[in-house]
Structure formats: structure tokens, C-alpha cells
Amino acid sequence: MEKEMQYEWEEFLFVVNYIYEKSTFAGDYMQPPDPDNIEIISVNLISYTSEDGEEIKCSHDLYVQHILSGQIFDSINEAVWEDVEKNEYHL
């Protein structure tokens, strides 16, 4: 099931689309359970704040996933896991 969340990083506001997949194998005494999986589909920039403090909205959602630094992408990944736990998709 595809989910969507907003994520704010410093002066940028992103919309993150992701798929959360619950593990289907719960494990047994010989094999540990499979981990749950998250796949980030897209990260789009929807607005940013200028140096003057003015929020500037993009005229269309800019696909920026391919130009994000590893630090930002790791932070987005953590926020997605928190969103899954907060909304209890994992139960």
C-alpha cells in the first residue's frame, strides 16, 4: 500500500511517497523472521523558505530524490519508519 507524508529538512519541505510491506514470514525455531520493508518511491520538493523568511511554493512538485545527499536521505528514511510506527501500519 502506497503512503504519503510531508517531511521538513531545514528550509525545504518535501512530500515522500513510500510503500510499507509487512513481513509475511514470522519465523520459527530454525529461521529468524523476515524484516519489514520500506521502499521510497519518490521525494518531491513542494516549497522552501527564502533568506527573507518567505515561503516559496514550487509551481509543480520537483522530483529531487536523485540529487539528495546521503545525510538527507538517511534522515528521510528514519522519518518514514517513525511515520509507520506512529500510524501503526506495522500492527
Side-chain angles (χ1 to χ4, degrees), residues 4-64:
E4 181 177 288
M5 65 171 257
Q6 289 190 351
Y7 178 72
E8 189 172 343
W9 172 269
E10 296 179 0
E11 64 270 1
F12 302 105
L13 182 62
F14 300 102
V15 170
V16 180
N17 294 315
Y18 66 92
I19 295 175
Y20 171 71
E21 296 174 347
K22 178 76 175 148
S23 170
T24 56
F25 179 64
D28 57 23
Y29 68 97
M30 294 290 287
Q31 200 170 14
D34 291 337
D36 295 346
N37 186 35
I38 287 181
E39 180 183 347
I40 295 179
I41 304 298
S42 65
V43 179
N44 296 325
L45 177 67
I46 57 172
S47 70
Y48 63 95
T49 305
S50 69
E51 292 178 1
D52 302 337
E54 177 185 354
E55 183 178 5
I56 300 171
K57 297 199 183 291
C58 299
S59 60
H60 58 283
D61 293 348
L62 302 172
Y63 179 76
V64 295

